[in-house]
Each structure stands twice: as structure tokens, then as C-alpha cells.
């Protein structure tokens, strides 16, 4: 019995430690890959409220703001209300609100916050895994701003004023 403990316990500790190091390294590599990938507008596919496809091709030669949100998030709701009130500051950009929520929930959110009335704003569904792997979205709200040439202008995490977003367009 002592022999098993003598060899088994250190082997178990070494195995657990190896697993934790592997997980940490894997996550760090994914973060670095995503950080490099978002420096230019990545290829993506999302689905609008009318189930239309929104992708990178439609956004070429136009400043674009991506806002990753959740309809139940209070910060996101305030962001949407401010976006509706101050939309004129972002007239030169295409604003895409991405969420992993269901399309019916997104339709309700867009109607409540009057986002459907704004011509340059689209609310769209994106798969949670695709949002993470493509844009590195992990928190809400999470904002990426791209110049017309597709280069990253600014990345904001958390609630951000429309004036701050407009300054980086």
C-alpha cells in the first residue's frame, strides 16, 4: 500500500499540474492568435433580424463598429439607448450589434430600444463560439472599431460612451 502511495501520489500531482499548464498555455495561445487576428477586419458570418446573412464582404470600404452585447445586460441596454439618442455622431459608420441570444430576443431588444429605425445599425445573431474565436469577445459589452481600410482603430471592453466611439472613427 505504501508503495502505491509513494509512486501514485507524486504521479497524480504531476498529472494534474501538467493538465493545468497545458490548459493555461492553450488559452494563452488562443488569446494571442485572436489579438493578432482582430488587427484587421476578420472574416465572419452573422444573421440579421430578418435572417439575412451579414459578412465581411458587405462592410468593405466603410468604418464599422461591432458591439457584442446581451439583451438582458443593463449596461448593454444603456448603450443601446445612448446609441439611439446620439446616432448622428456615428452616421459615417456601420454599427453592428452582435449577440449570441436568440433572434426573437434580439428582435424584441431592437424594437424596445428603437434600433430598427436607424439606417446604419444592424442587430445580428452570431454563434457564441464564433464570436470568441473570430473577435475574441469574452465580456459584454465588448466593442471593436474598424477604419474604412479594415484596420483596427480601438477595442473597448465594457460600457463606452458614443462620443468615445465617435472619436476613433
Amino acid at each position: 500500500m505504501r508503495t502505491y502511495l509513494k509512486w501514485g501520489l507524486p504521479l497524480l500531482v504531476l498529472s494534474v499540474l501538467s493538465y493545468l499548464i497545458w490548459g493555461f498555455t492553450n488559452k494563452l495561445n488562443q488569446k494571442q492568435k485572436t489579438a493578432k487576428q482582430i488587427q484587421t477586419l476578420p472574416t465572419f458570418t452573422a444573421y440579421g433580424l430578418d435572417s439575412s446573412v451579414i459578412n465581411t464582404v458587405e462592410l468593405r470600404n466603410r468604418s464599422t463598429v461591432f458591439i457584442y452585447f446581451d439583451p438582458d445586460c443593463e449596461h448593454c441596454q444603456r448603450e443601446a439607448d445612448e446609441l439611439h439618442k446620439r446616432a448622428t455622431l456615428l452616421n459615417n459608420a456601420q454599427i453592428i450589434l452582435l449577440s449570441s441570444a436568440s433572434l426573437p430576443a434580439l428582435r424584441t431588444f431592437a424594437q424596445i430600444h428603437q434600433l430598427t429605425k436607424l439606417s446604419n445599425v444592424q442587430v445580428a445573431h452570431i454563434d457564441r463560439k464564433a464570436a470568441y474565436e473570430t473577435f475574441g469577445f469574452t465580456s459584454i459589452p465588448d466593442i471593436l472599431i474598424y477604419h474604412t481600410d479594415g484596420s483596427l482603430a480601438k477595442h473597448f471592453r465594457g460600457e463606452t460612451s458614443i462620443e468615445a466611439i465617435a472619436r476613433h472613427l
Side-chain angles (χ1 to χ4, degrees):
M1 180 74 167
R2 287 185 164 273
T3 308
Y4 290 124
L5 285 176
K6 183 178 179 182
W7 292 101
L9 191 58
L11 187 59
L12 178 66
V13 169
L14 185 62
S15 298
V16 169
L17 188 61
S18 297
Y19 176 75
L20 292 174
I21 290 171
W22 173 79
F24 175 76
T25 306
N26 232 6
K27 193 167 195 133
L28 183 62
N29 286 340
Q30 178 63 35
K31 280 185 177 184
Q32 289 173 341
K33 176 185 167 198
T34 303
K36 185 177 179 181
Q37 179 176 309
I38 66 170
Q39 293 304 311
T40 57
L41 184 61
T43 302
F44 76 99
T45 301
Y47 300 94
L49 297 179
D50 57 355
S51 299
S52 62
V53 175
I54 301 168
N55 57 32
T56 312
V57 176
E58 296 175 10
L59 305 174
R60 298 215 189 274
N61 301 321
R62 191 151 187 209
S63 295
T64 307
V65 178
F66 291 99
I67 302 174
Y68 187 64
F69 76 102
D70 186 83
D72 297 328
C73 165
E74 290 179 19
H75 299 286
C76 302
Q77 292 169 5
R78 282 193 299 269
E79 191 91 36
D81 288 336
E82 186 182 356
L83 177 60
H84 174 71
K85 290 175 190 170
R86 315 279 318 228
T88 56
L89 291 174
L90 303 176
N91 275 345
N92 297 333
Q94 179 66 37
I95 295 35
I96 302 191
L97 284 89
L98 295 171
S99 179
S100 300
S102 66
L103 281 174
L106 295 178
R107 283 186 194 102
T108 303
F109 179 85
Q111 289 171 349
I112 289 171
H113 299 284
Q114 301 174 6
L115 299 174
T116 54
K117 296 178 181 180
L118 304 173
S119 62
N120 64 330
V121 175
Q122 289 180 288
V123 179
H125 171 80
I126 189 169
D127 180 65
R128 186 179 314 260
K129 184 178 179 187
Y132 174 70
E133 290 176 353
T134 305
F135 296 105
F137 292 143
T138 55
S139 61
I140 52 172
D142 207 346
I143 301 168
L144 291 170
I145 304 169
Y146 287 94
H147 293 295
T148 54
D149 65 356
S151 63
L152 181 66
K154 186 71 175 172
H155 183 187
F156 290 107
R157 291 198 189 269
E159 193 173 348
T160 307
S161 72
I162 299 303
E163 290 85 7
I165 294 170
R167 278 195 300 267
H168 293 283
L169 288 175

